[in-house]
Each structure stands twice: as structure tokens, then as C-alpha cells.
Amino acid sequence: MSEKFDVIVVGAGPAGTACAFTCAKNGLKVLLIERGEYPGAKNVMGGVLYRQQLEELIPEFWKEAPLERPVVEQRFWMMDKESVVTFGYKGLEWAVEPYNNFTVLRAKFDQWFASKAVEAGALLINETVVTECIVENGKVVGVRTDRPDGEVYADVVVLADGVNSLLSKQLGFHKEFRPDEVALTVMEVINLPKDKINDRFNLEDNQGCTIEIFGDSTKGNLGTAFLYTNKESLNIGVGTTLSSMIKAKIKPYELLDYLKNHPMVKPFLEGGESAEYLAHLIPEGGYHSVPKVVGNGVVVVGDAAQLVNAIHREGSNLAMHSGLLAAEAIVEANKRGDFSESSLNHYREALYNSFIIKDLEKYKDATHTFEKYPQYFKDYIPMLNRAASKFFTVDGTPKREKQKQIMRSMTAEKGTFRVLQDIYRAWKAVK
């Protein structure tokens, strides 16, 4: 631990490992520090991995990575208490190489991904907590760990220590995040035989399905739930912003139990055995919450930089790409022998010119809007379900009259002006 490295990466999640892998592949001496028993032991994501960003690092990774199923169908549910309006897309072009995305189990995937960084030359140390950055003359020069004689030095320290990044907070890069800037997600892995999964989701062996669920899955609070297929298990989870949980006085495990017993969800889980239960904070603040990401001798990547697109449920791909961009800036800084903030600022420039920040900027007001105006989840999704029920119920009423009745019932509840105002506000938040 007394050695000096070119790069120290704190956190072996997708962002940290992508950075460590790229730096090591370019000949830098890299130390990758993970606080868990192994990479993935303390990580949770919905279970979907997008191909593009990982393939930039490891071409044709799907031939060796521990993936579950290529996703061929993505469903979206607008759920009420006893009904659901559903739409989505199923495409068999996603069932063949190079695929679009995959379901994964993080405990398996993160270990494999970290092993690729080790193969590239990085040194991985598990079960080690970084307690603080070592700062000398205004520059980060290393980290202090909980190991005996645990000070270790490097030209650059990469902070990939997750949403609640105490290290970047220590450096003054951000303040304590507000409850509306983070979400708490709870997830359960439920073992279920492959043939039952295929039958219930209308899939073949090497095909997967994802279901994103809105509305009653969070009891009308801001957030989403999900149900994803693995080879012989299901990932089911639900998350809401901490502010919503506090206001509604909801306990996360109660919300998950409510979801599992919902009449629209329960049949998919019947006969399954609970294998694992996880909980994790997810950054939800978006564009306005992105902290300072570059300093003298230090960069911030992934969840620690609040790089999650909550609207599209994208996180791991953004994390990996930010890790790659950071590594490319570090490699160039190493060539110059200059690790100052201005030198490493190439990372920030690349990040803000990438799809990551452009997408976050597009949806910069979405979370705040839906948090401030809860009627979108509490009122409009139930209204949509009632409208669908009325329209598809055959009772002798002419369809044109049904349409008029539906419109009258929607505007009667809210008023025509308010409905139009809400539609415009939602469109403006996501346009």
C-alpha cells in the first residue's frame, strides 16, 4: 500500500472499472479499490445493461460476459389498483448479435468486468474503505484507507464511490444532496424455472423481457417499479425519491411487498423462491445536481457525479462512458506530465459534449416537475385506466359517444384548462 501509482480508482462499479480498465490498457499503473467483499457485492441496478458503451471497451463482450438474457421486448405499464394500460415494443432483431441490451445480475457481472481490468494490468484490492483523500498544496495526491499503513499515493485519484460520495463531498465538490435528488430502490431476486419464465413472458430460451411500471406500483408517488427476466430468476424492484417516501411515510420493504402482491404482478411471481434482497440509493437529481467533476489531481465519475438518466432508467451505460472519458483525459494528462485541474478538464469538456450531459440537460426539469405536481402519478394514470376500461367495454354505446363521455369525465374531474395546462407542463419537461 506504500507504493505510488499513476491512477487510484475508488470503487469497482461500472464507472470505476471502465476507467481502471482503460487506464491499465494504456500502460498506466492502476490501483482499483473496492469496499465490498468483491465487486458487485454492494451494488444494485435494475438489471439492464446496454451494449453500446461496454462494446466500446470490450468488443463482442457478450461472448464471454456473465449475462442473463438479451432483451427482445420492453413493456411499459401504467398501473392502477386492479388494471394496467400497457404498451411497448418486441423486436426479434434484438435477439441476434450484436443485440441491444441484456439483463444481468450485478454480483456476477461486476466481478467479471473487474477481472478484465485486472487482466489489463490493474491491481484490485477488495474489502478496503477509503476514508479520505490526501490533499497537499491544494492537490489530491492519494487516499487514506482503513488498512494499517493504508496511505497510498497517485498522480490522479478517480472517485467512483457511488451516489453518496463522501470523498467528493470532503473536497467540497458538492453539498449534502436533498431528499428529492436521490431515490431509494429496493430489489429482490426471485428464482423461477426457465420454462415458467418463458411461458409467462412469451419468450424463447435466449430472449428476455423488461417491464417498467408506473402509477400504483409506487402508490402514486414519484418513482417506478420494474420486473425483468433472467435465465432462471426474476428481478423485481421499486424505487421512489426519498422526499416522496418521507412525505407518504412509506417504508421501502412495504412498497416492495405491495408490488409483489399486486394482482397484475403476482401471477408472474407465483411459485418463485426469494434468493436475494438488496437496497441502494440512486441519484435522481439529473442535470442540476451534477457536481464539480474535476479538480487538481482528481476526477469524479458515474453515480458519484450524479450521472443517471432517470427518465430512461439509464445508469450503468452512462457510468461506463464517463469512466472511459475520464481515462482518456488521464492518459493524455500523463503524457503531458500535468495533472492540474486545467489539464484534467479535458474530461469535463468531453463529458459535457457527450450524449450523457446532453440527455440530462434535455430532461433537466422533469424530476422536479413530477415531484412538484403529483397529479401525473396519482390522478392521470388512474384516469387513463378508467378511460381504457370504459372504451373497451362493449355495452351498446356508440364509440363516438364513448369518446365524448371519456373526454367529459376527464375534464369534469380537473377542468379543461387545468388538463391542458398539465399536458403542456409535462410536454415542456420532457421535450
Coordinates of all heavy atoms in Angstrom, one line a residue, residues 157-206:
V157 N -6.5 10.6 -8.7 CA -7.5 9.8 -8.0 C -8.8 10.0 -8.7 O -9.3 11.1 -8.9 CB -7.6 10.2 -6.5 CG1 -8.7 9.5 -5.8 CG2 -6.3 10.0 -5.8
V158 N -9.4 8.8 -9.0 CA -10.7 8.8 -9.6 C -11.8 8.4 -8.6 O -11.7 7.3 -8.0 CB -10.8 7.8 -10.8 CG1 -12.1 7.8 -11.5 CG2 -9.7 8.2 -11.8
L159 N -12.8 9.3 -8.4 CA -13.8 9.0 -7.4 C -15.0 8.4 -8.1 O -15.7 9.0 -8.8 CB -14.2 10.3 -6.7 CG -13.1 11.0 -6.0 CD1 -13.6 12.3 -5.2 CD2 -12.3 10.2 -5.0
A160 N -15.2 7.1 -7.8 CA -16.3 6.3 -8.4 C -17.0 5.6 -7.3 O -17.4 4.4 -7.4 CB -15.8 5.3 -9.4
D161 N -17.2 6.3 -6.2 CA -17.6 5.7 -4.9 C -19.1 5.9 -4.7 O -19.6 5.8 -3.6 CB -16.9 6.3 -3.7 CG -16.8 7.8 -3.7 OD1 -16.9 8.4 -4.7 OD2 -16.7 8.4 -2.6
G162 N -19.9 6.1 -5.8 CA -21.3 6.0 -5.7 C -22.0 7.3 -5.4 O -21.4 8.3 -5.1
V163 N -23.4 7.2 -5.3 CA -24.2 8.4 -5.2 C -23.9 9.2 -3.9 O -23.9 10.4 -4.0 CB -25.7 8.0 -5.2 CG1 -26.0 7.0 -4.1 CG2 -26.6 9.2 -5.0
N164 N -23.6 8.6 -2.8 CA -23.3 9.3 -1.6 C -21.8 9.4 -1.5 O -21.2 8.9 -0.5 CB -23.9 8.5 -0.4 CG -23.9 9.4 0.9 OD1 -23.8 10.6 0.8 ND2 -23.9 8.7 2.0
S165 N -21.2 10.1 -2.4 CA -19.7 10.2 -2.5 C -19.2 11.1 -1.3 O -19.2 12.3 -1.5 CB -19.3 10.7 -3.8 OG -17.9 10.8 -3.8
L166 N -18.8 10.4 -0.3 CA -18.3 11.2 0.9 C -16.9 11.9 0.5 O -16.6 12.9 1.1 CB -18.1 10.3 2.1 CG -19.4 9.6 2.6 CD1 -19.0 8.7 3.8 CD2 -20.4 10.7 3.0
L167 N -16.2 11.3 -0.4 CA -14.9 11.8 -0.8 C -15.0 13.1 -1.6 O -14.3 14.1 -1.3 CB -14.1 10.8 -1.6 CG -13.8 9.5 -0.8 CD1 -13.1 8.5 -1.8 CD2 -13.0 9.7 0.4
S168 N -15.9 13.1 -2.6 CA -16.1 14.4 -3.3 C -16.8 15.5 -2.4 O -16.5 16.7 -2.6 CB -17.0 14.2 -4.6 OG -18.2 13.6 -4.3
K169 N -17.6 15.0 -1.5 CA -18.2 16.0 -0.5 C -17.1 16.6 0.4 O -17.0 17.8 0.6 CB -19.2 15.3 0.3 CG -19.9 16.2 1.3 CD -20.9 15.5 2.2 CE -21.5 16.4 3.2 NZ -22.4 15.7 4.2
Q170 N -16.1 15.7 0.8 CA -15.0 16.2 1.6 C -14.2 17.2 0.9 O -13.7 18.2 1.5 CB -14.1 15.0 1.9 CG -12.8 15.3 2.6 CD -11.6 14.4 2.2 OE1 -11.9 13.3 1.6 NE2 -10.4 14.8 2.4
L171 N -14.1 17.1 -0.5 CA -13.3 18.0 -1.3 C -14.1 19.3 -1.6 O -13.6 20.2 -2.2 CB -12.9 17.3 -2.6 CG -11.9 16.2 -2.4 CD1 -11.7 15.5 -3.8 CD2 -10.6 16.6 -1.8
G172 N -15.4 19.3 -1.2 CA -16.2 20.5 -1.4 C -16.8 20.5 -2.8 O -17.2 21.6 -3.3
F173 N -16.8 19.4 -3.5 CA -17.4 19.4 -4.8 C -18.9 19.4 -4.8 O -19.5 19.8 -5.8 CB -16.9 18.1 -5.6 CG -15.5 18.1 -6.1 CD1 -14.6 19.1 -5.6 CD2 -15.0 17.2 -7.0 CE1 -13.3 19.1 -6.0 CE2 -13.7 17.3 -7.4 CZ -12.8 18.2 -7.0
H174 N -19.5 19.0 -3.8 CA -20.9 19.1 -3.6 C -21.3 19.2 -2.2 O -20.6 18.8 -1.3 CB -21.7 17.9 -4.3 CG -21.5 16.6 -3.6 ND1 -22.2 16.2 -2.6 CD2 -20.6 15.6 -3.8 CE1 -21.9 15.0 -2.2 NE2 -20.8 14.6 -2.9
K175 N -22.6 19.7 -1.9 CA -23.1 19.7 -0.6 C -23.9 18.4 -0.4 O -24.0 17.6 -1.3 CB -24.0 20.9 -0.4 CG -23.3 22.3 -0.6 CD -24.2 23.4 -0.4 CE -23.5 24.8 -0.6 NZ -24.4 25.9 -0.5
E176 N -24.5 18.3 0.8 CA -25.4 17.1 1.1 C -26.6 17.2 0.1 O -27.2 18.2 -0.1 CB -25.9 17.2 2.5 CG -26.6 15.9 2.9 CD -25.6 14.9 3.3 OE1 -24.6 15.2 3.9 OE2 -25.9 13.7 3.0
F177 N -26.8 16.1 -0.6 CA -27.9 16.0 -1.6 C -29.2 16.0 -0.9 O -29.4 15.4 0.1 CB -27.7 14.8 -2.5 CG -26.6 14.9 -3.5 CD1 -25.6 13.9 -3.4 CD2 -26.5 15.9 -4.4 CE1 -24.5 14.0 -4.3 CE2 -25.5 16.0 -5.3 CZ -24.5 15.0 -5.2
R178 N -30.2 16.8 -1.5 CA -31.5 16.9 -0.9 C -32.3 15.6 -1.1 O -31.9 14.8 -2.0 CB -32.3 18.0 -1.6 CG -31.6 19.4 -1.5 CD -32.6 20.4 -2.0 NE -33.2 20.1 -3.3 CZ -32.6 20.3 -4.5 NH1 -31.5 21.0 -4.5 NH2 -33.2 20.0 -5.6
P179 N -33.3 15.3 -0.3 CA -34.1 14.1 -0.4 C -34.8 13.9 -1.8 O -35.0 12.8 -2.2 CB -35.1 14.2 0.7 CG -34.5 15.1 1.7 CD -33.7 16.1 0.9
D180 N -35.0 15.0 -2.5 CA -35.6 14.9 -3.8 C -34.6 14.7 -4.9 O -34.9 14.6 -6.1 CB -36.4 16.1 -4.2 CG -35.6 17.4 -4.2 OD1 -34.5 17.5 -3.7 OD2 -36.1 18.4 -4.9
E181 N -33.3 14.6 -4.6 CA -32.2 14.4 -5.5 C -31.7 12.9 -5.5 O -30.9 12.6 -6.4 CB -31.0 15.3 -5.3 CG -31.3 16.8 -5.5 CD -30.1 17.6 -5.2 OE1 -29.7 17.7 -4.0 OE2 -29.5 18.2 -6.1
V182 N -32.2 12.1 -4.6 CA -31.8 10.7 -4.6 C -33.1 9.9 -4.4 O -34.1 10.3 -3.8 CB -30.8 10.4 -3.5 CG1 -29.5 11.1 -3.8 CG2 -31.4 10.9 -2.1
A183 N -33.0 8.7 -4.9 CA -34.1 7.7 -4.8 C -33.6 6.5 -4.1 O -32.4 6.1 -4.2 CB -34.7 7.3 -6.1
L184 N -34.5 5.8 -3.3 CA -34.1 4.6 -2.7 C -34.8 3.5 -3.4 O -36.1 3.4 -3.5 CB -34.5 4.6 -1.2 CG -34.2 3.3 -0.4 CD1 -32.7 3.0 -0.4 CD2 -34.7 3.4 1.0
T185 N -34.0 2.5 -4.0 CA -34.6 1.4 -4.7 C -34.4 0.1 -3.9 O -33.2 -0.1 -3.4 CB -33.9 1.3 -6.1 OG1 -34.3 2.5 -6.9 CG2 -34.4 0.1 -6.8
V186 N -35.4 -0.7 -3.8 CA -35.3 -2.0 -3.2 C -35.6 -3.0 -4.3 O -36.5 -2.8 -5.1 CB -36.2 -2.2 -2.0 CG1 -35.7 -1.3 -0.8 CG2 -37.6 -1.8 -2.3
M187 N -34.8 -4.1 -4.3 CA -35.0 -5.1 -5.3 C -34.9 -6.5 -4.7 O -34.1 -6.7 -3.7 CB -33.9 -4.9 -6.4 CG -34.0 -5.8 -7.6 SD -32.6 -5.7 -8.7 CE -31.6 -7.0 -8.1
E188 N -35.6 -7.4 -5.3 CA -35.5 -8.8 -4.9 C -35.2 -9.7 -6.1 O -35.8 -9.5 -7.2 CB -36.8 -9.2 -4.2 CG -36.7 -10.6 -3.5 CD -38.0 -10.8 -2.6 OE1 -38.8 -9.9 -2.5 OE2 -38.1 -11.9 -2.1
V189 N -34.4 -10.7 -5.9 CA -34.1 -11.7 -7.0 C -35.0 -12.9 -6.6 O -34.8 -13.4 -5.5 CB -32.7 -12.1 -7.1 CG1 -32.5 -13.1 -8.2 CG2 -31.8 -10.8 -7.4
I190 N -35.8 -13.4 -7.5 CA -36.7 -14.5 -7.2 C -36.4 -15.6 -8.2 O -36.6 -15.4 -9.4 CB -38.2 -14.0 -7.3 CG1 -38.5 -13.0 -6.2 CG2 -39.1 -15.2 -7.1 CD1 -39.9 -12.4 -6.3
N191 N -36.0 -16.7 -7.7 CA -35.7 -17.9 -8.5 C -37.0 -18.5 -9.1 O -38.0 -18.7 -8.4 CB -34.9 -18.9 -7.7 CG -33.5 -18.5 -7.4 OD1 -32.9 -17.7 -8.1 ND2 -32.9 -19.1 -6.4
L192 N -36.9 -18.8 -10.4 CA -38.1 -19.4 -11.0 C -37.6 -20.2 -12.2 O -36.7 -19.8 -12.9 CB -39.0 -18.3 -11.6 CG -40.4 -18.6 -11.9 CD1 -41.2 -19.1 -10.7 CD2 -41.1 -17.5 -12.6
P193 N -38.1 -21.4 -12.4 CA -37.6 -22.2 -13.5 C -37.7 -21.5 -14.9 O -38.7 -20.8 -15.1 CB -38.5 -23.5 -13.5 CG -39.0 -23.5 -12.1 CD -39.1 -22.1 -11.6
K194 N -36.8 -21.8 -15.8 CA -36.7 -21.2 -17.1 C -38.0 -21.4 -17.9 O -38.5 -20.5 -18.5 CB -35.5 -21.8 -17.8 CG -35.3 -21.3 -19.2 CD -34.0 -21.8 -19.9 CE -34.0 -23.3 -19.9 NZ -32.8 -23.8 -20.6
D195 N -38.5 -22.6 -17.9 CA -39.7 -22.9 -18.7 C -40.9 -22.0 -18.2 O -41.7 -21.6 -19.0 CB -40.1 -24.3 -18.7 CG -40.3 -24.9 -17.3 OD1 -39.9 -24.3 -16.3 OD2 -41.0 -26.0 -17.2
K196 N -41.0 -21.8 -16.9 CA -42.1 -20.9 -16.4 C -41.9 -19.5 -16.8 O -42.9 -18.8 -17.2 CB -42.2 -21.1 -14.9 CG -42.8 -22.4 -14.4 CD -43.1 -22.4 -12.9 CE -43.8 -23.7 -12.5 NZ -44.1 -23.7 -11.1
I197 N -40.7 -19.0 -16.8 CA -40.4 -17.6 -17.2 C -40.8 -17.5 -18.7 O -41.4 -16.5 -19.1 CB -38.9 -17.3 -17.0 CG1 -38.6 -17.2 -15.5 CG2 -38.6 -16.0 -17.7 CD1 -37.2 -17.0 -15.2
N198 N -40.3 -18.5 -19.5 CA -40.6 -18.4 -21.0 C -42.1 -18.4 -21.2 O -42.6 -17.7 -22.1 CB -40.0 -19.6 -21.7 CG -38.4 -19.5 -21.7 OD1 -37.9 -18.5 -21.3 ND2 -37.8 -20.6 -22.0
D199 N -42.8 -19.2 -20.5 CA -44.3 -19.3 -20.7 C -45.0 -18.1 -20.3 O -45.9 -17.6 -21.0 CB -44.8 -20.5 -19.9 CG -46.3 -20.8 -20.1 OD1 -46.7 -20.9 -21.3 OD2 -47.0 -20.7 -19.1
R200 N -44.6 -17.5 -19.1 CA -45.4 -16.4 -18.6 C -45.1 -15.1 -19.4 O -45.9 -14.2 -19.4 CB -45.0 -16.2 -17.1 CG -45.6 -17.3 -16.2 CD -45.1 -17.2 -14.8 NE -45.5 -18.4 -14.1 CZ -45.3 -18.6 -12.8 NH1 -44.7 -17.7 -12.1 NH2 -45.7 -19.7 -12.2
F201 N -43.9 -15.0 -19.9 CA -43.5 -13.8 -20.6 C -43.5 -14.0 -22.2 O -43.1 -13.1 -22.9 CB -42.1 -13.3 -20.2 CG -42.1 -12.8 -18.8 CD1 -41.9 -13.6 -17.7 CD2 -42.2 -11.4 -18.5 CE1 -41.9 -13.1 -16.4 CE2 -42.2 -10.9 -17.2 CZ -42.0 -11.8 -16.2
N202 N -43.9 -15.2 -22.6 CA -44.0 -15.5 -24.0 C -42.6 -15.3 -24.7 O -42.4 -14.5 -25.6 CB -45.0 -14.6 -24.8 CG -45.2 -15.0 -26.2 OD1 -45.1 -16.2 -26.5 ND2 -45.6 -14.1 -27.0
L203 N -41.6 -16.0 -24.2 CA -40.2 -15.9 -24.6 C -39.6 -17.3 -25.0 O -40.1 -18.3 -24.6 CB -39.3 -15.3 -23.5 CG -39.7 -13.9 -23.0 CD1 -38.9 -13.6 -21.7 CD2 -39.4 -12.9 -24.0
E204 N -38.6 -17.2 -25.8 CA -37.7 -18.4 -26.1 C -36.6 -18.4 -25.0 O -36.4 -17.4 -24.3 CB -37.2 -18.4 -27.5 CG -38.3 -18.3 -28.6 CD -39.1 -19.6 -28.6 OE1 -38.6 -20.7 -28.2 OE2 -40.3 -19.5 -29.0
D205 N -35.8 -19.4 -25.1 CA -34.7 -19.6 -24.1 C -33.8 -18.4 -24.0 O -33.4 -17.9 -22.9 CB -33.9 -20.9 -24.3 CG -34.6 -22.1 -23.8 OD1 -35.7 -22.0 -23.2 OD2 -34.1 -23.2 -24.1
N206 N -33.3 -17.9 -25.1 CA -32.3 -16.8 -25.1 C -33.0 -15.5 -25.4 O -32.4 -14.7 -26.2 CB -31.2 -17.1 -26.2 CG -30.0 -16.3 -25.9 OD1 -29.6 -16.1 -24.7 ND2 -29.3 -15.9 -26.9

